[in-house]
PDB file of all heavy atoms in Angstrom:
ATOM      1  N   ILE A 164     -13.337  -2.066 -10.346  1.00  0.00           N
ATOM      2  CA  ILE A 164     -13.023  -1.932 -11.701  1.00  0.00           C
ATOM      3  C   ILE A 164     -14.070  -2.432 -12.682  1.00  0.00           C
ATOM      4  O   ILE A 164     -14.193  -1.796 -13.762  1.00  0.00           O
ATOM      5  CB  ILE A 164     -11.639  -2.724 -11.858  1.00  0.00           C
ATOM      6  CG1 ILE A 164     -10.935  -2.340 -13.153  1.00  0.00           C
ATOM      7  CG2 ILE A 164     -11.767  -4.238 -11.774  1.00  0.00           C
ATOM      8  CD1 ILE A 164     -10.473  -0.912 -13.066  1.00  0.00           C
ATOM      9  N   ASN A 165     -14.702  -3.448 -12.371  1.00  0.00           N
ATOM     10  CA  ASN A 165     -15.787  -3.896 -13.319  1.00  0.00           C
ATOM     11  C   ASN A 165     -17.001  -2.977 -13.489  1.00  0.00           C
ATOM     12  O   ASN A 165     -17.801  -3.131 -14.367  1.00  0.00           O
ATOM     13  CB  ASN A 165     -16.271  -5.337 -12.960  1.00  0.00           C
ATOM     14  CG  ASN A 165     -15.229  -6.375 -13.217  1.00  0.00           C
ATOM     15  OD1 ASN A 165     -14.173  -6.030 -13.746  1.00  0.00           O
ATOM     16  ND2 ASN A 165     -15.596  -7.559 -12.849  1.00  0.00           N
ATOM     17  N   THR A 166     -17.064  -2.066 -12.579  1.00  0.00           N
ATOM     18  CA  THR A 166     -18.279  -1.154 -12.638  1.00  0.00           C
ATOM     19  C   THR A 166     -17.898   0.167 -13.205  1.00  0.00           C
ATOM     20  O   THR A 166     -18.850   1.131 -13.258  1.00  0.00           O
ATOM     21  CB  THR A 166     -18.869  -0.950 -11.206  1.00  0.00           C
ATOM     22  OG1 THR A 166     -17.835  -0.959 -10.202  1.00  0.00           O
ATOM     23  CG2 THR A 166     -19.876  -1.990 -10.876  1.00  0.00           C
ATOM     24  N   GLN A 174     -12.290   8.262 -21.337  1.00  0.00           N
ATOM     25  CA  GLN A 174     -11.877   9.660 -20.997  1.00  0.00           C
ATOM     26  C   GLN A 174     -10.522   9.686 -20.317  1.00  0.00           C
ATOM     27  O   GLN A 174      -9.668  10.476 -20.655  1.00  0.00           O
ATOM     28  CB  GLN A 174     -12.936  10.261 -20.191  1.00  0.00           C
ATOM     29  CG  GLN A 174     -12.601  11.714 -19.910  1.00  0.00           C
ATOM     30  CD  GLN A 174     -13.567  12.247 -18.906  1.00  0.00           C
ATOM     31  OE1 GLN A 174     -14.673  11.797 -18.603  1.00  0.00           O
ATOM     32  NE2 GLN A 174     -13.109  13.227 -18.034  1.00  0.00           N
ATOM     33  N   SER A 207      -0.529  10.500  -8.016  1.00  0.00           N
ATOM     34  CA  SER A 207      -0.595  11.667  -7.240  1.00  0.00           C
ATOM     35  C   SER A 207      -0.783  12.900  -8.216  1.00  0.00           C
ATOM     36  O   SER A 207      -1.088  13.977  -7.713  1.00  0.00           O
ATOM     37  CB  SER A 207       0.811  11.896  -6.551  1.00  0.00           C
ATOM     38  OG  SER A 207       1.844  12.141  -7.527  1.00  0.00           O
ATOM     39  N   SER A 210       4.192  15.699 -11.406  1.00  0.00           N
ATOM     40  CA  SER A 210       5.190  15.348 -12.485  1.00  0.00           C
ATOM     41  C   SER A 210       6.220  14.425 -11.951  1.00  0.00           C
ATOM     42  O   SER A 210       6.703  14.449 -10.848  1.00  0.00           O
ATOM     43  CB  SER A 210       5.799  16.582 -13.059  1.00  0.00           C
ATOM     44  OG  SER A 210       7.159  16.602 -12.880  1.00  0.00           O
ATOM     45  N   THR A 261      32.194 -11.489   5.697  1.00  0.00           N
ATOM     46  CA  THR A 261      31.189 -12.458   5.136  1.00  0.00           C
ATOM     47  C   THR A 261      29.971 -12.355   5.949  1.00  0.00           C
ATOM     48  O   THR A 261      28.826 -12.408   5.390  1.00  0.00           O
ATOM     49  CB  THR A 261      31.851 -13.841   5.246  1.00  0.00           C
ATOM     50  OG1 THR A 261      33.198 -13.832   5.065  1.00  0.00           O
ATOM     51  CG2 THR A 261      31.119 -14.855   4.343  1.00  0.00           C
ATOM     52  N   PHE A 269      17.286  -5.867   5.939  1.00  0.00           N
ATOM     53  CA  PHE A 269      15.973  -5.860   6.620  1.00  0.00           C
ATOM     54  C   PHE A 269      16.118  -6.334   8.103  1.00  0.00           C
ATOM     55  O   PHE A 269      15.716  -5.703   8.942  1.00  0.00           O
ATOM     56  CB  PHE A 269      15.082  -6.856   5.844  1.00  0.00           C
ATOM     57  CG  PHE A 269      13.784  -7.011   6.434  1.00  0.00           C
ATOM     58  CD1 PHE A 269      12.916  -5.893   6.302  1.00  0.00           C
ATOM     59  CD2 PHE A 269      13.432  -8.160   6.942  1.00  0.00           C
ATOM     60  CE1 PHE A 269      11.575  -6.100   6.822  1.00  0.00           C
ATOM     61  CE2 PHE A 269      12.076  -8.254   7.552  1.00  0.00           C
ATOM     62  CZ  PHE A 269      11.208  -7.228   7.457  1.00  0.00           C
ATOM     63  N   ILE A 273      15.907  -4.060  11.592  1.00  0.00           N
ATOM     64  CA  ILE A 273      14.960  -4.305  12.592  1.00  0.00           C
ATOM     65  C   ILE A 273      15.608  -4.431  14.001  1.00  0.00           C
ATOM     66  O   ILE A 273      15.158  -3.999  15.018  1.00  0.00           O
ATOM     67  CB  ILE A 273      14.084  -5.531  12.316  1.00  0.00           C
ATOM     68  CG1 ILE A 273      13.292  -5.280  10.994  1.00  0.00           C
ATOM     69  CG2 ILE A 273      13.139  -5.872  13.358  1.00  0.00           C
ATOM     70  CD1 ILE A 273      11.926  -4.837  11.097  1.00  0.00           C
ATOM     71  N   GLY A 290      11.681   9.376  11.050  1.00  0.00           N
ATOM     72  CA  GLY A 290      11.825  10.792  10.925  1.00  0.00           C
ATOM     73  C   GLY A 290      13.120  11.232  10.319  1.00  0.00           C
ATOM     74  O   GLY A 290      14.003  10.458  10.260  1.00  0.00           O
ATOM     75  N   ALA A 378      11.156   4.003   7.622  1.00  0.00           N
ATOM     76  CA  ALA A 378      10.150   4.908   7.315  1.00  0.00           C
ATOM     77  C   ALA A 378      10.597   6.236   6.770  1.00  0.00           C
ATOM     78  O   ALA A 378      10.102   7.263   7.184  1.00  0.00           O
ATOM     79  CB  ALA A 378       8.974   5.087   8.482  1.00  0.00           C
ATOM     80  N   GLY A 381      12.602   8.664   0.065  1.00  0.00           N
ATOM     81  CA  GLY A 381      13.717   8.473  -0.687  1.00  0.00           C
ATOM     82  C   GLY A 381      13.387   7.682  -2.001  1.00  0.00           C
ATOM     83  O   GLY A 381      12.174   7.337  -2.225  1.00  0.00           O
ATOM     84  N   ARG A 384      12.095   3.978  -1.541  1.00  0.00           N
ATOM     85  CA  ARG A 384      10.687   3.945  -1.083  1.00  0.00           C
ATOM     86  C   ARG A 384       9.775   4.350  -2.221  1.00  0.00           C
ATOM     87  O   ARG A 384       8.731   3.691  -2.427  1.00  0.00           O
ATOM     88  CB  ARG A 384      10.570   4.924   0.074  1.00  0.00           C
ATOM     89  CG  ARG A 384       9.377   4.806   0.840  1.00  0.00           C
ATOM     90  CD  ARG A 384       9.413   3.877   2.020  1.00  0.00           C
ATOM     91  NE  ARG A 384       8.068   3.946   2.642  1.00  0.00           N
ATOM     92  CZ  ARG A 384       7.581   4.846   3.404  1.00  0.00           C
ATOM     93  NH1 ARG A 384       8.432   5.920   3.774  1.00  0.00           N
ATOM     94  NH2 ARG A 384       6.425   4.896   3.914  1.00  0.00           N
ATOM     95  N   LEU A 385      10.177   5.349  -2.924  1.00  0.00           N
ATOM     96  CA  LEU A 385       9.299   5.819  -3.946  1.00  0.00           C
ATOM     97  C   LEU A 385       9.186   4.652  -5.066  1.00  0.00           C
ATOM     98  O   LEU A 385       8.118   4.390  -5.679  1.00  0.00           O
ATOM     99  CB  LEU A 385       9.907   6.997  -4.684  1.00  0.00           C
ATOM    100  CG  LEU A 385       9.090   7.751  -5.778  1.00  0.00           C
ATOM    101  CD1 LEU A 385       7.811   8.286  -5.144  1.00  0.00           C
ATOM    102  CD2 LEU A 385       9.894   8.902  -6.439  1.00  0.00           C
ATOM    103  N   SER A 388       6.911   1.816  -3.796  1.00  0.00           N
ATOM    104  CA  SER A 388       5.430   2.058  -3.928  1.00  0.00           C
ATOM    105  C   SER A 388       4.942   2.296  -5.231  1.00  0.00           C
ATOM    106  O   SER A 388       3.869   2.044  -5.608  1.00  0.00           O
ATOM    107  CB  SER A 388       5.103   3.365  -2.947  1.00  0.00           C
ATOM    108  OG  SER A 388       5.448   4.578  -3.626  1.00  0.00           O
ATOM    109  N   SER A 391       4.478  -1.122  -6.395  1.00  0.00           N
ATOM    110  CA  SER A 391       3.351  -1.837  -5.777  1.00  0.00           C
ATOM    111  C   SER A 391       1.941  -1.278  -6.152  1.00  0.00           C
ATOM    112  O   SER A 391       1.011  -1.890  -6.104  1.00  0.00           O
ATOM    113  CB  SER A 391       3.457  -1.839  -4.260  1.00  0.00           C
ATOM    114  OG  SER A 391       3.237  -0.525  -3.710  1.00  0.00           O
ATOM    115  N   THR A 392       1.950  -0.061  -6.750  1.00  0.00           N
ATOM    116  CA  THR A 392       0.740   0.444  -7.244  1.00  0.00           C
ATOM    117  C   THR A 392       0.749   0.537  -8.794  1.00  0.00           C
ATOM    118  O   THR A 392      -0.160   0.974  -9.333  1.00  0.00           O
ATOM    119  CB  THR A 392       0.406   1.824  -6.742  1.00  0.00           C
ATOM    120  OG1 THR A 392       1.507   2.670  -7.070  1.00  0.00           O
ATOM    121  CG2 THR A 392       0.126   1.929  -5.290  1.00  0.00           C
TER     122      THR A 392
ATOM    123  N   GLU B1497      16.295  -9.768  -1.119  1.00  0.00           N
ATOM    124  CA  GLU B1497      16.877 -10.580  -0.073  1.00  0.00           C
ATOM    125  C   GLU B1497      17.293 -11.930  -0.613  1.00  0.00           C
ATOM    126  O   GLU B1497      18.300 -12.549  -0.159  1.00  0.00           O
ATOM    127  CB  GLU B1497      15.902 -10.702   1.074  1.00  0.00           C
ATOM    128  CG  GLU B1497      15.957  -9.495   1.976  1.00  0.00           C
ATOM    129  CD  GLU B1497      14.764  -9.344   2.806  1.00  0.00           C
ATOM    130  OE1 GLU B1497      14.022 -10.322   2.898  1.00  0.00           O
ATOM    131  OE2 GLU B1497      14.433  -8.231   3.365  1.00  0.00           O
ATOM    132  N   TRP B1507      28.862 -18.941   4.320  1.00  0.00           N
ATOM    133  CA  TRP B1507      29.243 -18.986   5.755  1.00  0.00           C
ATOM    134  C   TRP B1507      27.867 -18.946   6.522  1.00  0.00           C
ATOM    135  O   TRP B1507      27.701 -18.045   7.494  1.00  0.00           O
ATOM    136  CB  TRP B1507      30.008 -17.802   6.060  1.00  0.00           C
ATOM    137  CG  TRP B1507      31.436 -17.936   5.454  1.00  0.00           C
ATOM    138  CD1 TRP B1507      31.875 -17.423   4.306  1.00  0.00           C
ATOM    139  CD2 TRP B1507      32.537 -18.473   6.088  1.00  0.00           C
ATOM    140  NE1 TRP B1507      33.164 -17.681   4.116  1.00  0.00           N
ATOM    141  CE2 TRP B1507      33.589 -18.340   5.289  1.00  0.00           C
ATOM    142  CE3 TRP B1507      32.779 -19.183   7.276  1.00  0.00           C
ATOM    143  CZ2 TRP B1507      34.974 -18.863   5.453  1.00  0.00           C
ATOM    144  CZ3 TRP B1507      34.005 -19.659   7.545  1.00  0.00           C
ATOM    145  CH2 TRP B1507      35.033 -19.477   6.673  1.00  0.00           C
ATOM    146  N   ILE B1510      28.235 -18.640  10.469  1.00  0.00           N
ATOM    147  CA  ILE B1510      28.681 -17.334  11.072  1.00  0.00           C
ATOM    148  C   ILE B1510      27.516 -16.406  11.106  1.00  0.00           C
ATOM    149  O   ILE B1510      27.191 -15.811  12.138  1.00  0.00           O
ATOM    150  CB  ILE B1510      29.798 -16.697  10.255  1.00  0.00           C
ATOM    151  CG1 ILE B1510      31.104 -17.456  10.390  1.00  0.00           C
ATOM    152  CG2 ILE B1510      30.035 -15.262  10.641  1.00  0.00           C
ATOM    153  CD1 ILE B1510      32.248 -16.893   9.706  1.00  0.00           C
ATOM    154  N   TYR B1555       0.855   5.651   2.817  1.00  0.00           N
ATOM    155  CA  TYR B1555       1.009   7.130   2.890  1.00  0.00           C
ATOM    156  C   TYR B1555       0.055   7.693   1.830  1.00  0.00           C
ATOM    157  O   TYR B1555      -0.384   7.025   0.906  1.00  0.00           O
ATOM    158  CB  TYR B1555       2.474   7.560   2.731  1.00  0.00           C
ATOM    159  CG  TYR B1555       3.034   7.434   1.287  1.00  0.00           C
ATOM    160  CD1 TYR B1555       2.877   8.552   0.445  1.00  0.00           C
ATOM    161  CD2 TYR B1555       3.665   6.315   0.874  1.00  0.00           C
ATOM    162  CE1 TYR B1555       3.415   8.383  -0.833  1.00  0.00           C
ATOM    163  CE2 TYR B1555       4.177   6.268  -0.340  1.00  0.00           C
ATOM    164  CZ  TYR B1555       4.046   7.319  -1.223  1.00  0.00           C
ATOM    165  OH  TYR B1555       4.528   7.208  -2.495  1.00  0.00           O
ATOM    166  N   ARG B1557      -0.583   9.489  -1.218  1.00  0.00           N
ATOM    167  CA  ARG B1557       0.114   9.804  -2.400  1.00  0.00           C
ATOM    168  C   ARG B1557      -0.298  11.168  -2.981  1.00  0.00           C
ATOM    169  O   ARG B1557       0.573  11.898  -3.600  1.00  0.00           O
ATOM    170  CB  ARG B1557      -0.076   8.784  -3.371  1.00  0.00           C
ATOM    171  CG  ARG B1557       0.643   7.384  -2.963  1.00  0.00           C
ATOM    172  CD  ARG B1557       0.061   6.296  -3.829  1.00  0.00           C
ATOM    173  NE  ARG B1557      -1.370   6.238  -3.698  1.00  0.00           N
ATOM    174  CZ  ARG B1557      -2.119   5.128  -4.005  1.00  0.00           C
ATOM    175  NH1 ARG B1557      -1.574   4.145  -4.550  1.00  0.00           N
ATOM    176  NH2 ARG B1557      -3.402   5.183  -3.845  1.00  0.00           N
ATOM    177  N   TRP B1563      -9.326  12.168  -4.826  1.00  0.00           N
ATOM    178  CA  TRP B1563      -8.498  11.413  -5.812  1.00  0.00           C
ATOM    179  C   TRP B1563      -8.085  10.071  -5.115  1.00  0.00           C
ATOM    180  O   TRP B1563      -8.209   8.989  -5.822  1.00  0.00           O
ATOM    181  CB  TRP B1563      -7.172  12.177  -6.089  1.00  0.00           C
ATOM    182  CG  TRP B1563      -6.266  11.544  -6.982  1.00  0.00           C
ATOM    183  CD1 TRP B1563      -5.622  10.410  -6.825  1.00  0.00           C
ATOM    184  CD2 TRP B1563      -5.845  12.196  -8.269  1.00  0.00           C
ATOM    185  NE1 TRP B1563      -4.755  10.195  -7.949  1.00  0.00           N
ATOM    186  CE2 TRP B1563      -4.885  11.252  -8.807  1.00  0.00           C
ATOM    187  CE3 TRP B1563      -6.092  13.348  -8.950  1.00  0.00           C
ATOM    188  CZ2 TRP B1563      -4.235  11.431  -9.973  1.00  0.00           C
ATOM    189  CZ3 TRP B1563      -5.459  13.500 -10.208  1.00  0.00           C
ATOM    190  CH2 TRP B1563      -4.574  12.566 -10.668  1.00  0.00           C
ATOM    191  N   LYS B1637     -17.247  14.093 -13.324  1.00  0.00           N
ATOM    192  CA  LYS B1637     -16.927  14.169 -14.770  1.00  0.00           C
ATOM    193  C   LYS B1637     -15.447  14.287 -14.978  1.00  0.00           C
ATOM    194  O   LYS B1637     -14.967  14.100 -16.125  1.00  0.00           O
ATOM    195  CB  LYS B1637     -17.713  15.306 -15.454  1.00  0.00           C
ATOM    196  CG  LYS B1637     -19.246  14.968 -15.416  1.00  0.00           C
ATOM    197  CD  LYS B1637     -19.959  16.110 -16.032  1.00  0.00           C
ATOM    198  CE  LYS B1637     -21.471  15.789 -16.161  1.00  0.00           C
ATOM    199  NZ  LYS B1637     -22.230  16.980 -16.459  1.00  0.00           N
ATOM    200  N   GLU B1702      -1.467  18.591 -10.356  1.00  0.00           N
ATOM    201  CA  GLU B1702      -0.114  18.834 -10.121  1.00  0.00           C
ATOM    202  C   GLU B1702       0.051  19.966  -9.102  1.00  0.00           C
ATOM    203  O   GLU B1702       0.923  19.882  -8.131  1.00  0.00           O
ATOM    204  CB  GLU B1702       0.636  19.191 -11.403  1.00  0.00           C
ATOM    205  CG  GLU B1702       2.122  18.900 -11.225  1.00  0.00           C
ATOM    206  CD  GLU B1702       2.774  18.943 -12.616  1.00  0.00           C
ATOM    207  OE1 GLU B1702       2.120  18.924 -13.614  1.00  0.00           O
ATOM    208  OE2 GLU B1702       4.055  19.155 -12.605  1.00  0.00           O
ATOM    209  N   SER B1705      -0.852  18.760  -5.604  1.00  0.00           N
ATOM    210  CA  SER B1705       0.211  17.988  -4.919  1.00  0.00           C
ATOM    211  C   SER B1705       1.405  18.778  -4.619  1.00  0.00           C
ATOM    212  O   SER B1705       2.084  18.449  -3.712  1.00  0.00           O
ATOM    213  CB  SER B1705       0.634  16.923  -5.950  1.00  0.00           C
ATOM    214  OG  SER B1705      -0.356  15.883  -6.000  1.00  0.00           O
ATOM    215  N   GLN B1725       5.329  10.176   1.170  1.00  0.00           N
ATOM    216  CA  GLN B1725       5.993   8.967   1.743  1.00  0.00           C
ATOM    217  C   GLN B1725       6.129   8.999   3.189  1.00  0.00           C
ATOM    218  O   GLN B1725       6.318   7.918   3.805  1.00  0.00           O
ATOM    219  CB  GLN B1725       7.280   8.657   1.129  1.00  0.00           C
ATOM    220  CG  GLN B1725       7.379   8.541  -0.364  1.00  0.00           C
ATOM    221  CD  GLN B1725       8.632   8.411  -0.925  1.00  0.00           C
ATOM    222  OE1 GLN B1725       9.618   7.874  -0.277  1.00  0.00           O
ATOM    223  NE2 GLN B1725       8.837   8.673  -2.159  1.00  0.00           N
ATOM    224  N   ARG B1757       1.723   9.325  10.426  1.00  0.00           N
ATOM    225  CA  ARG B1757       3.070   8.927   9.962  1.00  0.00           C
ATOM    226  C   ARG B1757       3.019   7.598   9.287  1.00  0.00           C
ATOM    227  O   ARG B1757       2.344   6.701   9.775  1.00  0.00           O
ATOM    228  CB  ARG B1757       3.928   8.778  11.258  1.00  0.00           C
ATOM    229  CG  ARG B1757       5.353   8.303  11.049  1.00  0.00           C
ATOM    230  CD  ARG B1757       6.223   9.517  10.887  1.00  0.00           C
ATOM    231  NE  ARG B1757       7.437   9.001  10.073  1.00  0.00           N
ATOM    232  CZ  ARG B1757       8.336   9.796   9.753  1.00  0.00           C
ATOM    233  NH1 ARG B1757       8.319  11.058  10.094  1.00  0.00           N
ATOM    234  NH2 ARG B1757       9.391   9.308   9.102  1.00  0.00           N
ATOM    235  N   SER B1758       3.617   7.468   8.128  1.00  0.00           N
ATOM    236  CA  SER B1758       3.587   6.210   7.450  1.00  0.00           C
ATOM    237  C   SER B1758       4.721   5.315   7.867  1.00  0.00           C
ATOM    238  O   SER B1758       5.894   5.689   7.739  1.00  0.00           O
ATOM    239  CB  SER B1758       3.702   6.500   5.806  1.00  0.00           C
ATOM    240  OG  SER B1758       4.064   5.340   5.266  1.00  0.00           O
ATOM    241  N   SER B1763       6.590  -4.469  12.583  1.00  0.00           N
ATOM    242  CA  SER B1763       7.298  -4.476  13.884  1.00  0.00           C
ATOM    243  C   SER B1763       7.706  -3.022  14.345  1.00  0.00           C
ATOM    244  O   SER B1763       7.812  -2.826  15.508  1.00  0.00           O
ATOM    245  CB  SER B1763       8.533  -5.366  13.816  1.00  0.00           C
ATOM    246  OG  SER B1763       9.368  -5.011  12.985  1.00  0.00           O
ATOM    247  N   PRO B1935      -1.597  -4.659  -7.903  1.00  0.00           N
ATOM    248  CA  PRO B1935      -1.488  -4.438  -9.261  1.00  0.00           C
ATOM    249  C   PRO B1935      -1.547  -5.778 -10.174  1.00  0.00           C
ATOM    250  O   PRO B1935      -2.197  -5.781 -11.219  1.00  0.00           O
ATOM    251  CB  PRO B1935      -0.197  -3.740  -9.490  1.00  0.00           C
ATOM    252  CG  PRO B1935       0.537  -3.903  -8.278  1.00  0.00           C
ATOM    253  CD  PRO B1935      -0.411  -4.076  -7.094  1.00  0.00           C
ATOM    254  N   GLN B1941      -7.251  -9.808 -13.047  1.00  0.00           N
ATOM    255  CA  GLN B1941      -8.722  -9.681 -13.003  1.00  0.00           C
ATOM    256  C   GLN B1941      -9.321  -9.445 -14.395  1.00  0.00           C
ATOM    257  O   GLN B1941     -10.488  -9.932 -14.688  1.00  0.00           O
ATOM    258  CB  GLN B1941      -9.223  -8.705 -11.964  1.00  0.00           C
ATOM    259  CG  GLN B1941     -10.515  -9.122 -11.414  1.00  0.00           C
ATOM    260  CD  GLN B1941     -11.206  -8.013 -10.704  1.00  0.00           C
ATOM    261  OE1 GLN B1941     -11.023  -6.873 -11.063  1.00  0.00           O
ATOM    262  NE2 GLN B1941     -12.058  -8.267  -9.743  1.00  0.00           N
ATOM    263  N   LEU B1965     -24.020  -3.518  -7.510  1.00  0.00           N
ATOM    264  CA  LEU B1965     -22.807  -3.056  -8.227  1.00  0.00           C
ATOM    265  C   LEU B1965     -21.912  -4.133  -8.431  1.00  0.00           C
ATOM    266  O   LEU B1965     -21.165  -4.284  -9.456  1.00  0.00           O
ATOM    267  CB  LEU B1965     -22.143  -1.958  -7.255  1.00  0.00           C
ATOM    268  CG  LEU B1965     -22.963  -0.726  -7.099  1.00  0.00           C
ATOM    269  CD1 LEU B1965     -22.248   0.114  -6.036  1.00  0.00           C
ATOM    270  CD2 LEU B1965     -22.953   0.099  -8.426  1.00  0.00           C
ATOM    271  N   GLY B1972     -20.922  -4.954 -12.175  1.00  0.00           N
ATOM    272  CA  GLY B1972     -19.666  -5.641 -11.883  1.00  0.00           C
ATOM    273  C   GLY B1972     -19.673  -7.093 -12.463  1.00  0.00           C
ATOM    274  O   GLY B1972     -18.586  -7.664 -12.607  1.00  0.00           O
TER     275      GLY B1972
END
Side-chain angles (χ1 to χ4, degrees):
Chain A
I164 198 70
N165 286 357
T166 32
Q174 186 192 329
S207 71
S210 114
T261 321
F269 179 71
I273 299 263
R384 188 94 183 282
L385 189 66
S388 78
S391 76
T392 53
Chain B
E1497 280 163 11
W1507 289 92
I1510 289 184
Y1555 72 89
R1557 292 163 303 194
W1563 181 300
K1637 294 176 172 171
E1702 201 167 343
S1705 287
Q1725 305 176 22
R1757 179 87 204 184
S1758 161
S1763 64
Q1941 210 198 25
L1965 295 170

